[in-house]
Amino acid sequence: MRLSQMLFVTLREDPAEAEIPSHKLLLRAGYIRRIASGIYAYLPLMKRVLDKVSQIVREEMNATGAQELLLPAVQPAELWKESGRWDTYTQAEGIMFAFTDRQEREVALGPTHEEVITAIARDMIRSYRQLPLHLYQIQTKFRDEIRPRFGLMRGREFIMKDGYSFHADEASLKQTYADMDQAYRNMFSRCGLRFLPVEADSGAIGGSGSQEFMVLADAGEDEVLFTADGQYSANTEKAVSLPPDAVPSTFKQYEKLDTPNTPTIESLANFLKCSPTQIVKNVLYQAVYDNGMTVLVLVSIRGDQDVNEVKLTNELVKLGDRFGGKTLLALTVPDADAQQKWAAKPLPLGYLSPAVADSYIAKQDKVHPQFLRLLDKTAADLQNFVTGADESGFHVVGANWSKEFVKPADVVDVRKARPGDRAIHDPKQTLQSARGIEVGHIFQLGTKYSAAMGATYTNEQGEEKPLVMGCYGVGVSRLAQAAVEQNHDKDGIVWPVAIAPYHAIVIMPNIADATQVAAAEKLYTDLNAAGVETLLDDRDERAGVKFKDADLVGIPFRVVTGRSLQQGKVEVVRRATKESQEIPLDAVVSTLKQWIADATQSCVAKGAG
Ligand code: ATP
Ligand code: MG
């Protein structure tokens, strides 16, 4: 492609709308254009990057025997009602673009495709002989994200590879899941990314497992915890660890103490000169189930620890039966306004005890009349502990479960693991923290969708069984930007060769110089003919502008038909290292072909990890 004929507009200044380097660079270098909040146009250069990423994804998927198809983006509400997700997706999280068509039918733009694919499986899979089966697509997804940001990282319209596998049993699912783990490692290595597979939250589905693939970068929205021995890595949402040991309590006597102005653990520990590990902190949450029932949840946890709200949500979903709910619509820390809706009198916040009276909850419909009291494991074994006295400005010390306080029957693990904690697999290892961008997620679904939607098959014994399912996603457009986030310098993008829009750019510094022009034209033709995807900067611009643009756009190899032409040579510069070499004209094609092969192969070789 000739730049003179291309839609090629670069910006000098950082666009105000962009906060992180990759977003700024993609805008400045003319890869993307914002059309609306979270909605972007992929310009010609970006389209090529997306096609390359998609092709790598496709090759790795096909190599496992998965088959590509294309599902509709428009989905009928009925399917989502069958799976039970219509309300959560349109109301609770509200992430689905849903609308009513001219025939008064409810429809939505697909944020994901479990329902559609399960409907197809229900119709088409009859027998164990058809299993296992893995179908995938690469398609635009729609999610009305509440906070779209960072360009393609969190868009409201984005490209995803989503695959769904169907099995006769768990063992077969596990096999495909392991194949996907490997396929994903291959894909991300081939794309030239530094990534970390981490254990991930499987939400309320439970299932036997889920893993995310994180591209490590400071701008990542996720925190991952890992150990240096490479044996453990998890999303913080999911991570487990050993808490520090508690300091034995110095309070031998149970008594109530006047502790003015100590609503926080820090202020209380300072006032009492005790360790936060001797305190039982009681945190109030307000949960709303999908049947509209509000439940006030009191989590008692050791003072130095924090509640992991993802783990808490999972526990509350498990306990949903008690309140007639299946899923949670919301989990919040109730502020003063929220408390007014259910509190019979003002609560002594900051001074709550694990036994705070149920009479604080006013009797009314749709509000459970008792606190749901959950005891985190860290607080379950404490002795002679300090906790609130249910009176502003007062605490009790020297308290014990089963003496002064009834021990809550529901003992749970809802504690947030932290950097510095000891690892469970080896307490000599401590957890370290890094930021990550989630580019892939693989998931053992089990029978959640097949059971809800009646997608069954007949097994060898002639019995009808629900299909066992897995699902596997890659954020194709997010991945492309994540690659930039990981690979750039002060001058611009440094594309990994395998996903660069073009391999090489030939620059003629002076378009008035006929020798330069002729040499550049010939190189441009020869390189493209040899399969080296090459741009030609034939614009009427100063050489400096051309070099700056080439750096910004991030094409891996730059060929300049400059002064050394007199010796029959051209300058070839590697974008990543800025190394420059003079190469005889007739060796340019073979040299670049070799460099490209080397660069793409070294990524594959690295793929082991
Ligand atoms: P997140 O936690 O980042 O919101 P998710 O867990 O909801 O993502 P999945 O349903 O697992 O996302 O989707 C599969 C993949 O699609 C993700 O791993 C991610 O790479 C990508 N993805 C999800 N949401 C977006 C988005 N709004 N914009 C771009 N890519 C996205
Ligand atoms: Mg995910």
Side-chain angles (χ1 to χ4, degrees):
M1 186 77 212
R2 292 163 186 274
L3 286 197
S4 62
Q5 290 166 16
M6 199 169 140
L7 175 62
F8 184 79
V9 181
T10 57
L11 311 173
R12 279 285 153 72
E13 304 296 325
D14 279 342
E17 67 183 89
E19 294 159 61
I20 61 171
S22 56
H23 187 194
K24 288 180 191 167
L25 288 170
L26 288 177
L27 285 166
R28 276 187 54 204
Y31 282 82
I32 58 173
R33 206 86 192 166
R34 180 182 179 274
I35 300 299
S37 165
I39 312 270
Y40 286 83
Y42 311 121
L43 301 178
L45 286 171
M46 196 68 205
K47 174 72 168 71
R48 291 180 68 98
V49 174
L50 293 171
D51 285 349
K52 291 206 172 175
V53 174
S54 301
Q55 189 54 28
I56 290 173
V57 169
R58 186 174 278 127
E59 286 169 16
E60 293 298 333
M61 292 301 292
N62 292 349
T64 69
Q67 299 165 67
E68 185 170 0
L69 47 44
L70 188 55
L71 300 169
V74 177
Q75 309 189 2
E78 290 79 57
L79 291 179
W80 286 75
K81 289 183 178 165
E82 283 185 48
S83 72
R85 291 208 292 183
W86 181 256
D87 287 344
T88 357
Y89 270 71
T90 55
Q91 291 163 35
E93 290 170 27
I95 208 163
M96 190 152 66
F97 287 101
F99 53 98
T100 307
D101 70 13
R102 286 193 283 181
Q103 265 75 40
E104 296 290 313
R105 288 176 298 228
E106 287 176 300
V107 280
L109 299 179
T112 178
H113 279 72
E114 283 82 2
E115 281 77 0
V116 171
I117 201 84
T118 306
I120 292 173
R122 173 172 65 189
D123 285 351
M124 300 186 70
I125 300 178
R126 297 262 165 261
S127 151
Y128 69 94
R129 288 193 193 84
Q130 293 167 277
L131 299 173
L133 190 70
H134 187 167
L135 304 165
Y136 77 93
Q137 61 173 343
I138 298 174
Q139 189 208 33
T140 297
K141 293 282 186 276
F142 301 87
R143 294 187 183 178
D144 192 3
E145 299 276 359
I146 191 84
R147 265 182 294 282
R149 54 182 201 153
F150 299 160
L152 308 186
M153 292 286 192
R154 185 167 296 284
R156 297 198 300 155
E157 178 180 324
F158 58 96
I159 301 174
M160 196 202 287
K161 185 284 292 181
D162 49 327
Y164 307 87
S165 66
F166 298 91
H167 309 268
D169 53 36
E170 286 281 330
S172 165
L173 167 61
K174 289 212 155 67
Q175 180 59 52
T176 297
Y177 184 78
D179 291 348
M180 280 303 112
D181 176 28
Q182 189 55 52
Y184 274 42
R185 289 171 197 252
N186 298 347
M187 282 173 202
F188 301 137
S189 304
R190 285 182 61 189
C191 289
L193 299 168
R194 294 184 300 285
F195 63 95
L196 187 67
V198 300
E199 285 178 21
D201 175 52
S202 330
I205 301 171
S208 3
S210 134
Q211 186 171 277
E212 288 164 346
F213 292 81
M214 295 289 184
V215 165
L216 301 176
D218 290 342
E221 290 188 288
D222 286 276
E223 184 188 23
V224 298
L225 296 174
F226 62 96
T227 53
D229 66 0
Q231 296 297 305
Y232 184 74
S233 54
N235 192 316
T236 2
E237 290 179 354
K238 163 85 180 177
V240 290
S241 64
L242 298 172
D245 292 330
V247 175
S249 175
T250 42
F251 302 99
K252 302 290 178 233
Q253 201 72 42
Y254 179 73
E255 56 182 326
K256 178 171 158 186
L257 295 181
D258 189 354
T259 55
N261 304 318
T262 57
T264 63
I265 294 295
E266 199 193 350
S267 56
L268 178 62
N270 281 338
F271 183 87
L272 292 177
K273 302 200 172 27
C274 71
S275 157
T277 63
Q278 299 167 0
I279 302 172
V280 172
K281 162 166 89 175
N282 304 290
V283 195
L284 184 64
Y285 285 95
Q286 174 172 333
V288 182
Y289 281 92
D290 53 349
N291 60 350
M293 183 63 88
T294 295
V295 177
L296 285 317
V297 185
L298 191 69
V299 182
S300 300
I301 187 168
R302 208 172 74 188
D304 62 320
Q305 299 298 316
D306 292 314
V307 176
N308 175 333
E309 294 183 2
V310 174
K311 291 187 184 174
L312 177 59
T313 301
N314 292 342
E315 290 299 333
L316 292 173
V317 171
K318 277 194 241 159
L319 295 174
D321 279 351
R322 286 191 205 167
F323 313 103
K326 275 206 169 60
T327 57
L328 275 197
L329 295 186
L331 178 70
T332 48
V333 173
D335 57 12
D337 265 3
Q339 282 171 40
Q340 272 183 0
K341 300 209 180 86
W342 53 262
K345 52 193 170 181
L347 276 97
L349 288 183
Y351 302 90
L352 295 182
S353 89
V356 61
D358 291 329
S359 57
Y360 278 103
I361 305 174
K363 293 247 171 323
Q364 57 179 300
D365 252 14
K366 292 285 177 195
V367 178
H368 190 71
Q370 283 132 22
F371 288 103
L372 169 61
R373 297 170 205 271
L374 300 179
L375 178 57
D376 183 75
K377 282 186 182 143
T378 50
D381 300 324
L382 291 187
Q383 291 173 346
N384 296 324
F385 55 79
V386 177
T387 196
D390 293 330
E391 188 179 338
S392 272
F394 290 89
H395 282 89
V396 296
V397 299
N400 284 285
W401 299 116
S402 313
K403 267 175 86 184
E404 290 83 12
F405 292 101
V406 176
K407 189 170 181 173
D410 296 299
V411 179
V412 291
D413 169 19
V414 291
R415 169 183 159 267
K416 206 186 242 171
R418 289 186 191 147
D421 283 351
R422 293 163 300 164
I424 289 186
H425 75 277
D426 176 2
K428 287 199 286 298
Q429 297 281 326
T430 52
L431 298 188
Q432 302 177 29
S433 157
R435 306 298 305 179
I437 302 165
E438 179 194 327
V439 291
H441 195 169
I442 60 176
F443 214 106
Q444 299 182 28
L445 285 173
T447 57
K448 177 183 153 105
Y449 295 94
S450 53
M453 297 179 64
T456 58
Y457 73 100
T458 309
N459 70 11
E460 258 183 287
Q461 289 73 43
E463 301 157 333
E464 199 174 324
K465 296 276 180 192
L467 289 159
V468 178
M469 291 173 61
C471 73
Y472 319 92
V474 174
V476 170
S477 46
R478 181 186 283 184
L479 184 159
Q481 186 173 329
V484 177
E485 194 58 38
Q486 231 179 29
N487 300 284
H488 67 269
D489 61 18
K490 63 176 187 1
D491 298 320
I493 300 172
V494 184
W495 284 110
V497 175
I499 61 172
Y502 290 89
H503 298 130
I505 179 164
V506 175
I507 294 181
M508 42 178 108
N510 178 5
I511 61 163
D513 180 331
T515 328
Q516 280 190 16
V517 173
E521 288 280 354
K522 178 159 183 347
L523 280 171
Y524 171 62
T525 310
D526 292 352
L527 283 166
N528 276 314
V532 178
E533 299 164 21
T534 304
L535 284 170
L536 179 66
D537 194 346
D538 57 345
R539 294 175 301 167
D540 184 7
E541 288 284 359
R542 282 180 295 114
V545 170
K546 295 185 177 185
F547 295 153
K548 265 208 159 62
D549 277 345
D551 279 351
L552 177 62
V553 172
I555 307 301
F557 306 111
R558 180 216 292 176
V559 182
V560 187
T561 55
R563 253 172 261 127
S564 44
L565 268 185
Q566 281 149 11
Q567 291 89 51
K569 289 184 175 173
V570 287
E571 184 193 31
V572 183
V573 185
R574 291 176 189 259
R575 173 65 185 86
T577 56
K578 302 271 174 88
E579 268 170 273
S580 149
Q581 239 170 293
E582 307 228 307
I583 294 181
L585 270 169
D586 59 4
V588 172
V589 171
S590 58
T591 307
L592 285 190
K593 280 187 80 163
Q594 191 55 49
W595 287 0
I596 292 164
D598 290 350
T600 40
Q601 250 133 51
S602 76
C603 289
V604 178
K606 268 191 293 179

